Amino acid sequence: MKLKIRYGDFLGQVRMRERRVSYNAVAAHDQKHRHRPRLRPRDVYRLVTPYVSSRLLEQLRAVIPITLFLVVFQHLALRAHVAGAVGVALGISAVILGLMLFMEGLKHGLMPFSENIGHLMPRHASYWGVLSVAFVLGAAATFAEPAIGALKAAGSLTDPVSARALYYLLNFRAGDVVLTVAASVGAAVIVSMLRFMQGWTMKRLILLVTLPCLALTVHLALDPALAPIIGFAWDCGAITTGPVTVPIVLALGIGVSAAAGSSENPLAGFGIVTLASLFPPFAVMLLGLFGTGDAASALAASPAAPAAALPVAGVAGGILAALRAIVPLALLLWLIQRLWLREPVRESNIILYGIALSVFGMMAFNAGLETGLSPLGVQAGGLLSGAFVGADGGSGLYPYGIGIAIVLLFALALGFGATLAEPALNAMGITVQNLTDGAFSKTTLVHAVAFGVGLGTALGVVKVIFNLPLALLLVPAYTVALLMTLLSREEYVNLAWDSAGVTTGPVTVPLVLAMGLGLGQAVDAHDGFGILAMASVGPIITVLAVGLRLQLGEWLQDRNVAWEST
């Protein structure tokens, strides 16, 4: 038998015995009496595998294809085996492990700091305070770049006779070179912040920065003693725009840009990497111009490079280098946020976990760079000359013309394939496709950049093989890029010039750098630098060409619509 009662009477009866308990009390009781679950090895495997596998797979895609390509080409085309294959394999494995840990640590440790600072600075800091912090962070991030170790280690592969000034810079003033590069990146970040706050166009900045760089390049090219510095200086621009500098600088720039106001240009956030890759060549060339006057006397007094200028070898050296690179940067970011901006650090445990991963990752990467990537690149570069000339100056493995063609095809394929494997480029392609509503598709961007890098790498190898002055290739290439820049729209200019910095990752840079230096030694060139410089200007031209094609298509479409309406 059903009994009908009023809902109010029901609530009154229920609440007579009701007892209110705070959720905090429940949570505290649960926390105190919770039993920690005992995980079996199978459970640990099931929890950890999805987390690790995706991150490991990303680095495998970036490292393994280019490594296998080098090994297979060396075995089939050059008919040579990899010397110390076991050590090289272990080194490559260390590189993969190190990059996986480093990138994961960067995402959880350093990036949250830089993103918070980028958003908070315009609201809490003065105009000059924003610029000062931007300079310090840009310079500090350069020291943490994994590929900066390849720059420090390049001195031992430079000829002290034919490239005396360059050898002096790399071996006797290596610390000054790194400081110069870091300071120039900091200055580039300042200009980028001013661009966001003042609304400057990227075209104007590119012209104001690139033209002095080209003028200084021509000036150094006219002096045979200083000409070898050109390739090294322009390669420094590629080395500095790596996985640490780019995210931190972009996070600062996006935060300042958002605080300064939105732009009608969907790609206005791009362009900051461009300046970070153009300032270092100019600064290093100035250092070479004014800082190598005593090179002759220094080399005469001490022909061998001083031990202090060379990187510390061994496990202890790798640990020390990693700590010096990561810990000061993390401490600086913490001081800025906590003491200057007076903002609490949220999720400090996760941030400490990320910083620890970054340190261990850089340790492994440094070890792998020394035992795996660099030896493999030097071997490949040294053996390339055997395709067209013998060790005793006689005939090579193939007729001269065919051997040269094989080497150039190898360089083209190496640049193209290494670029396709860059995770940063694929991420950039997705961003551009979304921002342009599909007008500039990811596939179009990735293939345009990859072809430009491959073509530039091949031209850089031509420079090394025939011992050509780099200015003879670099100045015309950048002149073409500047002319195309004047004809292109602002959004395509930002995208094209930024694509040059995104393609030079922590794997491509040391491998191509070592290959160029090994090839330079094999063909008795003055130096092996310049390949990265040409690989950087190539995608600028190809992406601008695609942008001009899209502009032309839009203009023709608008003209047809206008004719139909009339």
Side-chain angles (χ1 to χ4, degrees), residues 113-125:
F113 273 132
S114 57
E115 290 172 357
N116 290 335
I117 291 171
H119 287 288
L120 294 172
M121 270 200 314
R123 297 196 298 267
H124 292 73

PDB file of all heavy atoms in Angstrom, residues 113-125:
ATOM      1  N   PHE A 113      58.081  27.742 -16.067  1.00  0.00           N
ATOM      2  CA  PHE A 113      58.665  29.003 -15.600  1.00  0.00           C
ATOM      3  C   PHE A 113      58.585  30.076 -16.679  1.00  0.00           C
ATOM      4  O   PHE A 113      58.110  31.190 -16.458  1.00  0.00           O
ATOM      5  CB  PHE A 113      60.130  28.777 -15.214  1.00  0.00           C
ATOM      6  CG  PHE A 113      60.317  28.331 -13.792  1.00  0.00           C
ATOM      7  CD1 PHE A 113      61.128  27.261 -13.497  1.00  0.00           C
ATOM      8  CD2 PHE A 113      59.693  28.993 -12.760  1.00  0.00           C
ATOM      9  CE1 PHE A 113      61.312  26.841 -12.190  1.00  0.00           C
ATOM     10  CE2 PHE A 113      59.868  28.587 -11.441  1.00  0.00           C
ATOM     11  CZ  PHE A 113      60.675  27.502 -11.156  1.00  0.00           C
ATOM     12  N   SER A 114      59.080  29.748 -17.872  1.00  0.00           N
ATOM     13  CA  SER A 114      59.157  30.751 -18.935  1.00  0.00           C
ATOM     14  C   SER A 114      57.777  31.212 -19.375  1.00  0.00           C
ATOM     15  O   SER A 114      57.572  32.392 -19.677  1.00  0.00           O
ATOM     16  CB  SER A 114      59.939  30.189 -20.126  1.00  0.00           C
ATOM     17  OG  SER A 114      59.342  29.003 -20.592  1.00  0.00           O
ATOM     18  N   GLU A 115      56.797  30.291 -19.411  1.00  0.00           N
ATOM     19  CA  GLU A 115      55.443  30.693 -19.791  1.00  0.00           C
ATOM     20  C   GLU A 115      54.837  31.632 -18.754  1.00  0.00           C
ATOM     21  O   GLU A 115      54.218  32.645 -19.114  1.00  0.00           O
ATOM     22  CB  GLU A 115      54.573  29.444 -19.957  1.00  0.00           C
ATOM     23  CG  GLU A 115      54.940  28.611 -21.178  1.00  0.00           C
ATOM     24  CD  GLU A 115      54.193  27.292 -21.208  1.00  0.00           C
ATOM     25  OE1 GLU A 115      53.437  27.019 -20.241  1.00  0.00           O
ATOM     26  OE2 GLU A 115      54.367  26.538 -22.175  1.00  0.00           O
ATOM     27  N   ASN A 116      55.005  31.310 -17.491  1.00  0.00           N
ATOM     28  CA  ASN A 116      54.476  32.192 -16.441  1.00  0.00           C
ATOM     29  C   ASN A 116      55.139  33.558 -16.478  1.00  0.00           C
ATOM     30  O   ASN A 116      54.467  34.595 -16.365  1.00  0.00           O
ATOM     31  CB  ASN A 116      54.687  31.560 -15.061  1.00  0.00           C
ATOM     32  CG  ASN A 116      53.792  30.358 -14.847  1.00  0.00           C
ATOM     33  OD1 ASN A 116      52.736  30.237 -15.467  1.00  0.00           O
ATOM     34  ND2 ASN A 116      54.216  29.458 -13.970  1.00  0.00           N
ATOM     35  N   ILE A 117      56.445  33.561 -16.631  1.00  0.00           N
ATOM     36  CA  ILE A 117      57.168  34.839 -16.656  1.00  0.00           C
ATOM     37  C   ILE A 117      56.744  35.663 -17.863  1.00  0.00           C
ATOM     38  O   ILE A 117      56.565  36.883 -17.776  1.00  0.00           O
ATOM     39  CB  ILE A 117      58.688  34.572 -16.659  1.00  0.00           C
ATOM     40  CG1 ILE A 117      59.119  33.998 -15.304  1.00  0.00           C
ATOM     41  CG2 ILE A 117      59.459  35.851 -16.950  1.00  0.00           C
ATOM     42  CD1 ILE A 117      60.546  33.509 -15.279  1.00  0.00           C
ATOM     43  N   GLY A 118      56.590  35.014 -19.024  1.00  0.00           N
ATOM     44  CA  GLY A 118      56.172  35.739 -20.215  1.00  0.00           C
ATOM     45  C   GLY A 118      54.818  36.404 -20.048  1.00  0.00           C
ATOM     46  O   GLY A 118      54.594  37.518 -20.540  1.00  0.00           O
ATOM     47  N   HIS A 119      53.891  35.738 -19.350  1.00  0.00           N
ATOM     48  CA  HIS A 119      52.557  36.325 -19.153  1.00  0.00           C
ATOM     49  C   HIS A 119      52.523  37.344 -18.031  1.00  0.00           C
ATOM     50  O   HIS A 119      51.729  38.291 -18.064  1.00  0.00           O
ATOM     51  CB  HIS A 119      51.547  35.209 -18.862  1.00  0.00           C
ATOM     52  CG  HIS A 119      51.194  34.386 -20.061  1.00  0.00           C
ATOM     53  ND1 HIS A 119      50.408  34.857 -21.096  1.00  0.00           N
ATOM     54  CD2 HIS A 119      51.538  33.119 -20.410  1.00  0.00           C
ATOM     55  CE1 HIS A 119      50.275  33.918 -22.011  1.00  0.00           C
ATOM     56  NE2 HIS A 119      50.956  32.855 -21.632  1.00  0.00           N
ATOM     57  N   LEU A 120      53.366  37.163 -17.013  1.00  0.00           N
ATOM     58  CA  LEU A 120      53.306  38.032 -15.837  1.00  0.00           C
ATOM     59  C   LEU A 120      54.142  39.298 -15.978  1.00  0.00           C
ATOM     60  O   LEU A 120      53.813  40.331 -15.381  1.00  0.00           O
ATOM     61  CB  LEU A 120      53.766  37.258 -14.600  1.00  0.00           C
ATOM     62  CG  LEU A 120      52.872  36.103 -14.151  1.00  0.00           C
ATOM     63  CD1 LEU A 120      53.560  35.307 -13.045  1.00  0.00           C
ATOM     64  CD2 LEU A 120      51.523  36.623 -13.674  1.00  0.00           C
ATOM     65  N   MET A 121      55.231  39.226 -16.735  1.00  0.00           N
ATOM     66  CA  MET A 121      56.153  40.363 -16.796  1.00  0.00           C
ATOM     67  C   MET A 121      55.497  41.657 -17.253  1.00  0.00           C
ATOM     68  O   MET A 121      55.699  42.705 -16.626  1.00  0.00           O
ATOM     69  CB  MET A 121      57.347  40.032 -17.707  1.00  0.00           C
ATOM     70  CG  MET A 121      58.510  39.407 -17.005  1.00  0.00           C
ATOM     71  SD  MET A 121      60.047  39.560 -17.939  1.00  0.00           S
ATOM     72  CE  MET A 121      59.552  39.087 -19.579  1.00  0.00           C
ATOM     73  N   PRO A 122      54.736  41.669 -18.368  1.00  0.00           N
ATOM     74  CA  PRO A 122      54.177  42.952 -18.801  1.00  0.00           C
ATOM     75  C   PRO A 122      53.258  43.603 -17.774  1.00  0.00           C
ATOM     76  O   PRO A 122      53.085  44.828 -17.792  1.00  0.00           O
ATOM     77  CB  PRO A 122      53.398  42.572 -20.075  1.00  0.00           C
ATOM     78  CG  PRO A 122      54.033  41.304 -20.550  1.00  0.00           C
ATOM     79  CD  PRO A 122      54.435  40.590 -19.299  1.00  0.00           C
ATOM     80  N   ARG A 123      52.647  42.814 -16.868  1.00  0.00           N
ATOM     81  CA  ARG A 123      51.726  43.378 -15.881  1.00  0.00           C
ATOM     82  C   ARG A 123      52.419  43.783 -14.587  1.00  0.00           C
ATOM     83  O   ARG A 123      51.927  44.655 -13.866  1.00  0.00           O
ATOM     84  CB  ARG A 123      50.617  42.365 -15.563  1.00  0.00           C
ATOM     85  CG  ARG A 123      49.751  42.012 -16.748  1.00  0.00           C
ATOM     86  CD  ARG A 123      48.462  41.319 -16.300  1.00  0.00           C
ATOM     87  NE  ARG A 123      48.722  40.060 -15.619  1.00  0.00           N
ATOM     88  CZ  ARG A 123      48.751  38.878 -16.226  1.00  0.00           C
ATOM     89  NH1 ARG A 123      48.558  38.822 -17.548  1.00  0.00           N
ATOM     90  NH2 ARG A 123      48.978  37.773 -15.553  1.00  0.00           N
ATOM     91  N   HIS A 124      53.545  43.143 -14.265  1.00  0.00           N
ATOM     92  CA  HIS A 124      54.189  43.380 -12.979  1.00  0.00           C
ATOM     93  C   HIS A 124      55.508  44.149 -13.092  1.00  0.00           C
ATOM     94  O   HIS A 124      56.010  44.630 -12.078  1.00  0.00           O
ATOM     95  CB  HIS A 124      54.476  42.052 -12.263  1.00  0.00           C
ATOM     96  CG  HIS A 124      53.244  41.335 -11.820  1.00  0.00           C
ATOM     97  ND1 HIS A 124      52.406  40.694 -12.704  1.00  0.00           N
ATOM     98  CD2 HIS A 124      52.710  41.152 -10.576  1.00  0.00           C
ATOM     99  CE1 HIS A 124      51.405  40.139 -12.029  1.00  0.00           C
ATOM    100  NE2 HIS A 124      51.559  40.409 -10.746  1.00  0.00           N
ATOM    101  N   ALA A 125      56.080  44.208 -14.283  1.00  0.00           N
ATOM    102  CA  ALA A 125      57.411  44.798 -14.424  1.00  0.00           C
ATOM    103  C   ALA A 125      57.350  46.058 -15.271  1.00  0.00           C
ATOM    104  O   ALA A 125      56.429  46.262 -16.061  1.00  0.00           O
ATOM    105  CB  ALA A 125      58.368  43.779 -15.048  1.00  0.00           C
TER     106      ALA A 125
END
